[in-house]
Amino acid sequence: MTITKTKGALRNMIAASCIGFGLLAPVSATSETLADALVGAYNNSGLLDQNRAVLRAADEDVAIAKSALKPVVRWTGDLTQNFNRTISGGSAFALPGTRTSTDQLTTSINLIASLLVYDFGASRFSVEAAKETVLATRETLVSIEQQILLRAVDAYMGVIQAEQIVSLRENNMRLLTQELRAARDRFEVGEVTRTDVALAEAQLAQARSGLAGAQGDLISAKAYYKVAVGRAPGRLSRPPSLPRVSSTIAAAKGLAVRSHPDIKAVQHQVAAADLLIRSSQAQMEPQVSVQGSFGLTETFDSQASSRNGSVSLQVGQTLYQGGALSSAVRKNRAQRDAQRGNLHVVVKDVERAVSDAYAGLASARAQIQASERQVRAAEIAFQGIREEAALGARTTLDVLDAEQSLLDARSSSVTAQTQIYVAAYSVLQATGQLTARDLKLPVQIYDPSAYYNLVKDGPAKFSKEGKQLDRVLRALQKD
């Protein structure tokens, strides 16, 4: 009779243990997908907003550099009160002299315009350097976008992993509760000792502790998800198939060297440094400019007035400025050399990142295969030991050890199956392909050239272009 009751409990425990295999099955169509998480991360990232503002600031540097090649128009005005008191004539015999008094209030307005005609390309090189800096900043923005999306993948899979571990721990609690009940039944009929019951009680207490820890990990994973995606997670569905990656590491490295945003950003920085060298060299040459002015002077309470104007061609050159000009050339050369060295370092870092990403992906695949074999073996062992224990051939400790081994195997399998997605998307990031455009996410792709095209020519505030720019800035501030 005791054996029959124990076998019934065994069937219940085996059925409960099989629940864990349904954890990776897809859930309802209303669940949140990985693509939804990526869209949320792209749309809600404060870090992306911050660096888009940094890019807009770099765009303005182009307009500032171009302003050196445009006319400068300014005006001056003044209001002057003149007074004069004069005593003339008179004699030593106290004869009165002549007193004269003059009071004049005059105003003048002057309009002055100047234009740089030729500076041996100094301003033009500065403009081109600013453009290269804009391109470098755009690539930096792409690199940050990749980091944001990879973090979203990690957060998404982290929540799935934590939820599955909690489910496994809950199933483990049910199994151990049934095992404790069976141990007590067997103790009552004298089949086991009090020690077996105590072992089952201790294992159940340890399982409660493990469940509490897993629930804490789930809370932490959800908090990380909210930071990475911009909202709390709902019901998460099983992620889609793994993204396609290059078949060989060599091909992936070649792709990364050609298209990775970190490399392209440094390449533009090198180009900008070269242009700044040429600009600083040209600043040591003469400059030719044209200046024109027109002035109007009026005297109040008088018919006196004047008009004046002038146009001049000015040529000048700075011969000595305390060594500042030559020092600027040397500084820009040193910065160019530093950027070239940085380019070499970044290329090596990107190639190493590709190797590391592929190694991580291969390791994750191997872990999945190993964990699947481990789960199958642990299931067979658990079922066999449990049957033998029911017949008295195994102790309670053997059953508890087998159950713990099965739990560990399933936990390892869950971890491996979730982490392979992070590894696969890490490969995309390492090769520069983890962007909203490459992933074809259903989002409004940020166009870095839109703002640049509005500001590159420095539109006047009250012009049509300037008013359009004001509307764009108000929209950005509202967001």
Side-chain angles (χ1 to χ4, degrees):
M1 178 178 180
T2 303
I3 294 177
T4 303
K5 290 174 63 178
T6 305
K7 286 184 177 180
L10 171 63
R11 287 193 295 269
N12 292 334
M13 284 187 284
I14 293 175
S17 69
C18 293
I19 296 176
F21 291 103
L23 295 176
L24 294 179
V27 294
S28 65
T30 58
S31 300
E32 186 172 350
T33 65
L34 178 58
D36 295 331
L38 293 173
V39 169
Y42 185 84
N43 290 333
N44 301 324
S45 173
L47 186 59
L48 277 178
D49 290 338
Q50 172 193 346
N51 283 273
R52 286 167 183 167
V54 171
L55 175 58
R56 292 197 297 272
D59 293 340
E60 297 290 354
D61 286 337
V62 175
I64 293 172
K66 281 186 174 182
S67 67
L69 299 171
K70 296 179 180 180
V72 177
V73 181
R74 60 189 180 90
W75 65 272
T76 63
D78 67 79
L79 186 66
T80 305
Q81 174 69 52
N82 297 310
F83 61 90
N84 182 40
R85 300 290 186 271
T86 304
I87 300 176
S88 60
S91 67
F93 299 100
L95 295 176
T98 302
R99 296 173 179 266
T100 59
S101 176
T102 303
D103 291 295
Q104 287 184 336
L105 180 61
T106 61
T107 182
S108 63
I109 298 177
N110 297 281
L111 185 64
I112 304 169
S114 60
L115 174 65
L116 177 64
V117 177
Y118 188 68
D119 64 353
F120 286 85
S123 299
R124 181 171 56 84
F125 291 138
S126 296
V127 171
E128 295 302 320
K131 290 180 179 179
E132 291 293 339
T133 301
V134 167
L135 295 176
T137 309
R138 289 182 185 179
E139 296 300 334
T140 300
L141 179 61
V142 174
S143 181
I144 291 172
E145 177 185 335
Q146 290 202 133
Q147 297 172 24
I148 295 298
L149 295 180
L150 182 61
R151 187 172 68 169
V153 173
D154 185 39
Y156 186 92
M157 300 310 301
V159 172
I160 289 180
Q161 176 180 326
E163 289 176 342
Q164 292 176 357
I165 295 297
V166 167
S167 296
L168 287 175
R169 291 286 183 179
E170 291 173 344
N171 291 332
N172 184 50
M173 282 281 298
R174 289 191 286 269
L175 286 172
L176 291 176
T177 300
Q178 294 176 8
E179 178 61 34
L180 176 60
R181 187 181 300 114
R184 286 172 176 169
D185 291 341
R186 296 174 67 187
F187 172 73
E188 290 177 358
V189 297
E191 291 186 1
V192 297
T193 66
R194 180 61 186 169
T195 301
D196 295 287
V197 177
L199 286 172
E201 290 174 344
Q203 193 76 358
L204 181 59
Q206 182 180 356
R208 288 195 180 99
S209 176
L211 176 59
Q215 290 171 336
D217 292 340
L218 177 57
I219 293 173
S220 177
K222 288 183 176 180
Y224 178 56
Y225 183 97
K226 187 174 182 180
V227 172
V229 178
R231 60 175 180 270
R235 293 185 60 190
L236 304 185
S237 64
R238 182 178 179 179
S241 58
L242 293 174
R244 292 184 177 181
V245 297
S246 299
S247 57
T248 64
I249 297 180
K253 286 183 178 180
L255 176 62
V257 170
R258 292 192 305 271
S259 61
H260 199 283
D262 288 351
I263 294 178
K264 294 169 72 175
V266 180
Q267 288 173 338
H268 288 300
Q269 290 168 357
V270 171
D274 277 326
L275 290 165
L276 288 176
I277 293 174
R278 301 175 69 180
S279 176
S280 58
Q281 289 173 335
Q283 288 174 6
M284 303 176 70
E285 303 295 334
Q287 292 186 350
V288 181
S289 61
V290 175
Q291 180 169 313
S293 65
F294 176 78
L296 170 64
T297 303
E298 293 284 348
T299 302
F300 293 94
D301 299 328
S302 172
Q303 297 297 322
S305 65
S306 65
R307 308 286 189 274
N308 60 80
S310 66
V311 177
S312 61
L313 180 66
Q314 300 177 348
V315 180
Q317 179 180 11
T318 301
L319 297 178
Y320 181 70
Q321 196 177 343
L325 295 178
S326 56
S327 179
V329 174
R330 294 192 299 272
K331 175 185 175 180
N332 289 328
R333 283 176 178 164
Q335 290 178 336
R336 188 268 316 276
D337 294 341
Q339 292 297 346
R340 286 179 175 175
N342 187 37
L343 177 59
H344 178 75
V345 171
V346 170
V347 170
K348 295 300 181 183
D349 286 345
V350 168
E351 290 178 339
R352 186 190 64 183
V354 172
S355 298
D356 290 346
Y358 269 86
L361 182 59
S363 175
R365 286 172 174 164
Q367 288 176 4
I368 287 179
Q369 295 174 358
S371 63
E372 289 175 349
R373 291 193 295 268
Q374 182 183 3
V375 168
R376 288 194 297 268
E379 285 173 350
I380 295 173
F382 173 72
Q383 294 175 14
I385 291 174
R386 192 63 185 83
E387 289 286 352
E388 293 172 2
L391 298 173
R394 291 282 187 172
T395 65
T396 301
L397 180 59
D398 294 330
V399 176
L400 295 177
D401 288 343
E403 198 282 330
Q404 184 63 46
S405 296
L406 179 57
L407 174 64
D408 293 341
R410 286 176 176 165
S411 298
S412 298
S413 178
V414 166
T415 300
Q417 292 183 41
T418 54
Q419 289 305 306
I420 192 172
Y421 281 88
V422 179
Y425 281 94
S426 295
V427 170
L428 292 184
Q429 184 201 28
T431 55
Q433 296 176 294
L434 188 59
T435 66
R437 190 180 303 277
D438 290 324
L439 297 177
K440 296 181 173 57
L441 296 181
V443 296
Q444 181 67 41
I445 301 294
Y446 182 78
D447 183 6
S449 63
Y451 186 84
Y452 174 82
N453 291 333
L454 287 175
V455 303
K456 64 180 181 179
D457 294 321
K461 181 174 180 59
F462 298 106
S463 66
K464 179 181 178 181
E465 294 78 6
K467 293 178 180 179
Q468 181 182 0
L469 180 58
D470 286 340
R471 289 193 295 270
V472 171
L473 291 175
R474 285 195 295 269
L476 290 171
Q477 292 171 356
K478 183 177 179 180
D479 291 339

